[in-house]
Amino acid sequence: MLPDFVATQVELTPYNTLALPARAAFLARIQRVEQLIALIQHTEFAGRRRFVLGSGSNLLVAGDFDGFILHLCIPGKRWIGEDAEHIYLAVAAGENWSDFVAWTLDCGWPGLENLIGIPGTAGAAPIQNIGAYGAEVGDFLQQLTALDLARGETRIFDVRDCALGYRDSLFKREGWHLSGRYAITEIVLRLPKNWHARTRYGEIAETLARDGIQTPTPAQIAQVVTRLRACKIPDPRQLPNAGSFFQNPKVSAELAAALRHTHPQLPCYPQPDGSVKLAAAWLIEHAGWKGRNLGMVGMHEKQALVLVNRGGASYHDVQNLSRAVREAVFARFGVSLTPEPVLLADGGTPL
Ligand code: EPU
């Protein structure tokens, strides 16, 4: 018999913020690491596909899933120590990231304020190295603890082992986020005591200047970020979405220069490796897709990078729109866009 924290034939619509319909054969609600260890020893578990789920805010559900969804809901956040330069905090995988950030600010431990409002769980944060408004979780990650679901062993990954990049990590590069090889159970963050405001991101600087704030407090930065996000990114409870649907593409300096020549307004962000990151939202907008719908989905009218479910959309609708947008951007600018959300597919056709 399966443990009582495992449900069968579960409708997945409430488990993905794009609200796409599908069913999972099994869904385990994991609140303690011991439950995970017990489950992976269970005979029903062996040989079945598994997928580790946080809050489904960066997830594209492609169809029914014939395996185990491991819904990591492990709670807990705590101060674990400090030295002359840093404060160390441990946060369990199931904690809501943004609530955790708010808690750190309430406790008087600033640093994460630029990352407030990002949906998702703490355990999912390092997998795509969540980032916004000039900061990334990788700027603060010290280490993480993961359970190797194949061997039943706990493994500590130092941040240097995680190979974090722009929306990227070792976990993504190795495909472990799709194969369910590891479940991240806890992350440890290191917040510098010598706090400085990160206000270089254009919109933050502009908003603070408009509000007449010269030396912002962490709380003021959090408020500005919260306001900026609310203006552009729809609340999935009102309009289902998975945040940015495409990554900002990195192109060669030559291509960026050629594009800038014909489109002087194109936002370009030179990278340390000599490549240039382009604003996918701008490319989509100027390829004519901002605020435009196809089937039951569309690219949002306030932020062209956000694909929204207008109601009752299927994966097929998402696939069609994704293709249409990619083709339009490629035809106009010669740039390929890569979808950002993780695909949960059971032999389904990827985008
Ligand atoms: N822009 C447009 N049209 C639009 C929206 C934006 O031309 O419809 C232009 C803006 O004027 C700006 C540029 O595109 O010059 C960048 O826009 P924005 O600052 O809104 O950021 P983004 O690059 O579109 C990224 C992240 C977001 C994050 C914001 C803020 C990615 C894929 N997305 O978006 O992260 O919140 O920066 O830092 O890197 C997410 O990953 O899900 C996400 C929402």
Side-chain angles (χ1 to χ4, degrees):
M1 243 202 14
L2 280 162
D4 60 0
F5 56 85
V6 179
T8 56
Q9 293 304 321
V10 178
E11 177 53 56
L12 289 178
T13 312
Y15 292 93
N16 72 99
T17 61
L18 246 175
L20 297 180
R23 259 169 194 270
F26 305 94
L27 188 142
R29 185 176 158 78
I30 307 293
Q31 288 179 290
R32 289 177 292 113
V33 177
E34 296 71 35
Q35 291 176 319
L36 202 49
I37 293 169
L39 184 62
I40 63 177
Q41 289 163 354
H42 203 282
T43 48
E44 278 279 9
F45 192 77
R48 286 194 189 269
R49 292 196 58 199
R50 67 280 310 257
F51 182 82
V52 180
L53 177 72
S55 53
S57 53
N58 192 45
L59 184 65
L60 196 50
V61 174
D64 291 348
F65 185 71
D66 190 29
F68 276 83
I69 302 280
L70 305 172
H71 184 208
L72 283 214
C73 307
I74 306 168
K77 48 186 185 288
R78 60 193 202 285
W79 174 97
I80 52 170
E82 63 184 273
D83 55 27
E85 286 163 15
H86 296 101
I87 289 184
Y88 298 87
L89 304 172
V91 51
E95 288 287 333
N96 174 283
W97 171 261
S98 188
D99 291 349
F100 166 68
V101 172
W103 174 77
T104 61
L105 295 173
D106 287 348
C107 292
W109 300 318
L112 301 175
E113 54 283 344
N114 296 50
L115 300 175
I116 199 156
I118 299 184
T121 57
I127 293 176
Q128 66 149 348
N129 189 17
I130 57 167
Y133 298 101
E136 292 178 337
V137 72
D139 302 339
F140 305 96
L141 189 70
Q142 159 97 353
Q143 65 174 53
L144 61 84
T145 307
L147 185 70
D148 181 334
L149 298 175
R151 299 187 177 158
E153 290 165 5
T154 296
R155 189 169 156 191
I156 307 280
F157 291 81
D158 185 88
V159 64
R160 284 164 301 206
D161 305 332
C162 294
L164 300 178
Y166 166 62
R167 297 297 193 274
D168 199 20
S169 70
L170 180 71
F171 293 82
K172 264 181 98 169
R173 229 167 291 161
E174 295 290 332
W176 292 335
H177 64 313
L178 300 177
S179 65
R181 170 72 194 271
Y182 287 99
I184 295 174
T185 52
E186 183 180 82
I187 67 175
V188 173
L189 299 171
R190 194 176 71 152
L191 306 186
K193 287 183 171 171
N194 182 13
W195 178 80
H196 67 274
R198 293 181 189 229
T199 55
R200 270 190 307 146
Y201 201 89
E203 285 187 321
I204 295 195
E206 287 155 23
T207 311
L208 289 169
R210 215 174 308 127
D211 290 356
I213 300 170
Q214 270 152 19
T215 47
T217 63
Q220 283 171 322
I221 294 177
Q223 278 161 14
V224 168
V225 168
T226 304
R227 261 161 56 199
L228 288 173
R229 294 188 71 94
C231 291
K232 293 207 227 176
I233 305 175
D235 181 341
R237 286 166 301 190
Q238 269 127 41
L239 190 56
N241 72 85
S244 296
F245 191 80
F246 297 102
Q247 295 183 8
N248 284 330
K250 273 209 247 174
V251 300
S252 67
E254 292 74 33
L255 177 56
L259 287 169
R260 256 311 245 266
H261 188 68
T262 37
H263 308 282
Q265 307 298 323
L266 169 66
C268 290
Y269 314 102
Q271 300 298 297
D273 64 2
S275 67
V276 176
K277 212 198 266 180
L278 307 177
W282 191 98
L283 297 171
I284 295 167
E285 180 172 343
H286 290 83
W289 276 95
K290 185 169 183 172
R292 196 165 147 197
N293 297 329
L294 184 67
M296 303 311 288
V297 288
M299 303 312 291
H300 195 240
E301 45 281 12
K302 292 195 181 131
Q303 168 41 302
L305 199 45
V306 177
L307 184 150
V308 294
N309 178 352
R310 302 268 175 213
S314 65
Y315 174 67
H316 190 63
D317 289 320
V318 176
Q319 211 174 16
N320 284 341
L321 179 58
S322 173
R323 281 188 188 147
V325 169
R326 292 174 77 185
E327 280 168 20
V329 167
F330 191 78
R332 180 94 205 264
F333 302 106
V335 175
S336 300
L337 294 182
T338 307
E340 191 190 86
V342 168
L343 185 77
L344 174 61
D346 210 16
T349 334
L351 281 171

